[in-house]
């Protein structure tokens, strides 16, 4: 017995395809929306800027056991610099973050450095939230026009809890961390 019910393919119309794509686009844009509402005011980007790119930095921060500044007989873990992959929200590598100086480099070769404007606590065991004012970018790619970089959603990265004393002077230790880096451009 042959069925007279229309097949699935027969029920797909150009209008249903357009509606499906519109819904998918709306969901995609909602997923990429970023809100500063939950951040402390000190690390919010000023009005007049828009999010240009969101990345997740995954890597390590290097610390070195050194003599404490201005206190010759005391030692502390000193920040040396980061080394992290910058991934898009789907996990694909789109660049890297390293320093000093703090440098965010896109896979297209464009890069930007910046100066810290402010930090705010991000919870015990996590490096702080940070707001950076970007310097003019080098290269004409994705980093061109970036005005601010925010570091948010941090996990880990704080100086080692192990003892730093004269016996460990010069020892370097890498600490794993993760953070979202939000890149802003003038609106």
């Amino acid at each position: 017995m042959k069925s007279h019910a229309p097949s699935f393919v027969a029920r797909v119309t150009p209008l249903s395809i357009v509606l499906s794509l519109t819904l998918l686009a709306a969901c995609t844009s909602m997923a990429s929306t970023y809100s500063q509402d939950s951040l402390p005011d000190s690390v919010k980007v000023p009005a007049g800027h828009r999010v240009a790119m969101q990345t997740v930095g995954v890597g390590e921060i290097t610390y070195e056991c050194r003599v404490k500044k201005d206190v010759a007989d005391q030692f502390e873990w000193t920040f040396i610099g980061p080394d992290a992959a910058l991934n898009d929200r789907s996990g694909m590598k789109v660049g890297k973050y390293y320093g000093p100086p703090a440098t965010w480099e896109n896979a297209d070769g464009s890069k930007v450095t910046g100066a810290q404007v402010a930090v705010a606590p991000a919870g015990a065991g996590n490096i702080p939230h940070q707001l950076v004012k970007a310097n003019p970018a080098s290269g004409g790619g994705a980093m061109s026009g970036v005005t601010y970089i925010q570091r948010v959603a941090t996990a880990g990265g704080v100086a080692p809890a192990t003892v730093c004393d004269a016996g460990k002077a010069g020892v370097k230790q890498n600490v794993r961390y993760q953070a979202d880096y939000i890149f802003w451009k003038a609106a």
Side-chain angles (χ1 to χ4, degrees):
M1 173 177 242
K2 192 170 186 176
S3 169
H4 294 287
S7 72
F8 174 76
V9 175
R11 287 183 275 162
V12 175
T13 65
L15 179 60
S16 66
I17 292 171
V18 169
L19 289 174
S20 297
L21 291 174
T22 302
L23 180 60
L24 180 61
C27 290
T28 301
S29 66
M30 285 189 298
S32 64
T33 301
Y34 175 74
S35 173
Q36 299 188 83
D37 293 346
S38 65
L39 296 176
D41 289 341
S42 62
V43 294
K44 287 182 179 178
V45 172
H49 295 84
R50 64 176 172 74
V51 173
M53 181 173 44
Q54 299 182 43
T55 63
V56 179
V58 180
E60 298 177 334
I61 296 174
T62 301
Y63 291 90
E64 183 177 350
C65 183
R66 293 184 178 172
V67 172
K68 199 177 227 182
K69 186 178 178 177
D70 300 327
V71 187
D73 62 340
Q74 293 182 15
F75 293 81
E76 65 184 350
W77 289 106
T78 304
F79 175 87
I80 298 298
D83 182 15
L86 295 177
N87 302 320
D88 66 14
R89 294 289 188 200
S90 69
M92 187 167 108
K93 185 175 179 183
V94 295
K96 57 186 175 180
Y97 172 52
Y98 55 90
T103 303
W104 295 264
E105 184 173 340
N106 193 279
D108 65 16
S110 63
K111 54 183 151 183
V112 67
T113 61
Q116 179 175 283
V117 174
V119 294
N126 302 320
I127 54 175
H129 297 294
Q130 181 183 48
L131 179 62
V132 172
K133 175 81 169 123
N135 295 319
S138 63
M143 296 298 184
S144 182
V146 168
T147 52
Y148 287 95
I149 304 146
Q150 274 178 324
R151 180 178 68 201
V152 296
T154 60
V158 297
T162 58
V163 173
C164 171
D165 57 21
K168 290 198 176 175
V171 170
K172 292 182 180 176
Q173 192 166 359
N174 294 327
V175 177
R176 300 279 311 154
Y177 91 105
Q178 180 173 317
D180 288 358
Y181 290 97
I182 313 298
F183 298 85
W184 295 77
K185 294 183 179 183

